[in-house]
Amino acid sequence: MSDEDAEPAATRRLPTLDKTPGEADAATPPAADAPSPDTADHERVRRFWSVRRVPAALVALVLLAAAGLLLYDVAAVRADRPAMAWRRRLARELATRHLDNPWVLGAAVVALVLGIWLFVLAVTPGLRQVLPMRPAAPDLRAGLDRAAAALVLRDRAMEVAGVQSVRMAVSRRKAKAHCVSHFRELDEVRADLDTSLAEGLRQLGLAHELRLTVDVRRPKKR
């Protein structure tokens, strides 16, 4: 009986796989080269797009009414009836007025403004009140209302000693806190507010970091 057969099964040596130099590095790339999940998700997060129901409904109603009225007048003319007065007057005005006429220029300006407005609505996301959050899963998107974010930050600011009242304003890129302190030094209160609100912003989980501004004042004397 050999020494290997005499060893218990629990202590038997397992066979090893010999790897050539560089094989392990090729199988597992270094962690420094791989982007972190937070960085990759941060780059992919975009704002939420609004469905624009009200502008789309207004444009659709105006176009429907204009097309229906024009179609009715054309059908009436085809049925050997006179055209409507507004169409005859419009044709006469277009034939007699020059391009530098104030009415023609005014109508062109109105049409230009409406066109620019519709173009801006088409290429901008809207929903400015919703702040995108960092995704917790690949197929999950979440947003936080700006009013809710301001309320959460206001509650955190009220927990700081010396703060009497807080008025919090949150925009797409900034978070502003206007605080009134009735005791303690203003510098100490401001430092505690900076720390507390910065931690509150981090815990909100927003995709884009907000720039924090804190203003601390004394109550107005009556």
Side-chain angles (χ1 to χ4, degrees), residues 4-222:
E4 183 178 359
D5 295 335
E7 289 183 351
T11 61
R12 188 183 299 275
R13 292 191 299 272
L14 297 177
T16 59
L17 296 178
D18 296 333
K19 295 183 179 181
T20 58
E23 183 179 356
D25 297 338
T28 57
D33 297 339
S36 62
D38 294 341
T39 304
D41 293 339
H42 178 78
E43 295 177 354
R44 289 195 299 266
V45 173
R46 297 292 183 268
R47 288 174 54 191
F48 292 87
W49 279 78
S50 174
V51 293
R52 316 284 192 185
R53 290 190 178 93
V54 175
L58 292 177
V59 173
L61 289 176
V62 170
L63 293 179
L64 180 62
L69 187 61
L70 183 61
L71 182 61
Y72 173 80
D73 192 45
V74 171
V77 172
R78 291 292 184 180
D80 297 333
R81 293 186 179 182
M84 291 184 178
W86 66 269
R87 196 155 73 96
R88 295 197 303 268
R89 182 178 178 181
L90 179 61
R92 183 170 61 253
E93 293 292 338
L94 292 176
T96 57
R97 290 185 183 271
H98 299 284
L99 295 179
D100 57 352
N101 188 274
W103 287 100
V104 177
L105 295 177
V109 170
V110 171
L112 178 63
V113 171
L114 290 177
I116 294 176
W117 177 60
L118 293 176
F119 179 78
V120 170
L121 291 180
V123 298
T124 55
L127 289 182
R128 301 174 63 88
Q129 293 296 327
V130 179
L131 300 174
M133 303 176 66
R134 290 192 298 269
D139 297 332
L140 179 64
R141 294 193 65 193
L144 181 63
D145 189 78
R146 281 162 47 182
L151 182 60
V152 172
L153 295 176
R154 176 188 175 276
D155 292 342
R156 288 188 64 93
M158 289 297 298
E159 297 176 356
V160 176
V163 175
Q164 182 180 18
S165 63
V166 179
R167 183 167 54 88
M168 199 75 201
V170 176
S171 63
R172 289 174 49 204
R173 297 180 177 88
K174 299 179 182 179
K176 298 181 180 179
H178 301 276
C179 307
V180 176
S181 176
H182 57 300
F183 70 93
R184 295 182 66 196
E185 294 294 332
L186 294 183
D187 293 338
E188 297 178 0
V189 177
R190 185 179 294 106
D192 292 345
L193 284 172
D194 288 337
T195 303
S196 178
L197 293 178
E199 179 64 18
L201 286 174
R202 188 189 65 81
Q203 292 180 358
L204 289 179
L206 300 178
H208 307 288
E209 183 178 357
L210 302 181
R211 187 164 65 251
L212 178 62
T213 303
V214 179
D215 180 26
V216 185
R217 300 179 182 180
R218 291 298 186 191
K220 294 181 179 179
K221 296 182 179 181
R222 298 181 179 179

